[in-house]
Amino acid sequence: MNVMDWKEYHERMKEEAPLVIHYPICGGGDECIYVCPFSDRIWEVVPMKVSLFGVRYKVRLRPFMAYPENCKRCYICVQACPTGALQPVEKSVKHPAITLFYSTLRLPFKKRYGLRFVFRKEHAERFKCNNWPERYSF
Ligand code: SF4
């Protein structure tokens, strides 16, 4: 299977979508897709070569805005992203390590999309399935 590098998807979103994902700090829990009111008409989960927080570059499954024209720019998905990887395109991640560190510190204090949200069963399952697709499928 010919799988593209994360940078290809990153560039495509940057050019065509109102949001962009810095994939090396995306955890793969699909929180963005769960909260998007129009997820079926916007998002797909695609295989790409990427590391998980800088560890082990390999094929993982990650969210991609396949139909950005349907996005309403409500930014609920940005609020729900636990790592800060997903941002409006004009605020794309410049310093990944600092963004990840800051977002992780903030997580226990977020009211709506804090730790309890991130550790919900469906996100934990997606995390496993998306990061180790060769081992898990749900
Ligand atoms: S900004 Fe709103 S409509 Fe657009 S992808 Fe995010 S949650 Fe969905």
Side-chain angles (χ1 to χ4, degrees):
M1 185 173 39
N2 189 17
V3 179
M4 293 196 298
D5 186 85
W6 68 270
K7 288 183 185 132
E8 307 262 351
Y9 289 101
H10 181 268
E11 284 310 304
R12 273 173 63 183
M13 278 182 66
K14 214 168 160 186
E15 282 166 21
E16 298 165 15
L19 306 173
V20 64
I21 301 176
H22 191 85
Y23 287 105
I25 60 167
C26 169
D30 288 352
E31 290 85 355
C32 49
I33 297 179
Y34 271 85
V35 298
C36 175
F38 311 99
S39 55
D40 292 348
R41 290 194 273 143
I42 297 173
W43 292 96
E44 279 182 4
V45 176
V46 299
M48 65 181 74
K49 289 179 193 154
V50 66
S51 66
L52 173 64
F53 308 144
V55 177
R56 206 168 167 219
Y57 174 82
K58 69 179 195 87
V59 175
R60 303 176 195 275
L61 302 174
R62 290 292 183 261
F64 172 66
M65 287 182 96
Y67 306 100
E69 65 277 14
N70 294 328
C71 174
K72 308 293 183 214
R73 293 171 165 78
C74 64
Y75 303 128
I76 300 171
C77 55
V78 175
Q79 292 167 34
C81 176
T83 64
L86 175 64
Q87 296 290 340
V89 86
E90 65 278 8
K91 293 185 185 167
S92 63
V93 172
K94 302 279 184 307
H95 306 287
I98 293 172
T99 301
L100 180 61
F101 182 67
Y102 174 74
S103 302
T104 308
L105 283 184
R106 248 182 93 218
L107 212 47
F109 306 101
K110 276 171 90 175
K111 282 199 177 116
R112 190 150 192 193
Y113 299 116
L115 285 174
R116 279 178 66 182
F117 171 74
V118 172
F119 286 104
R120 274 162 56 171
K121 188 169 173 271
E122 60 266 36
H123 299 142
E125 283 178 355
R126 293 314 305 170
F127 175 81
K128 285 200 291 185
C129 183
N130 288 341
N131 283 299
W132 297 278
E134 68 283 3
R135 245 188 282 166
Y136 300 100
S137 62
F138 292 94

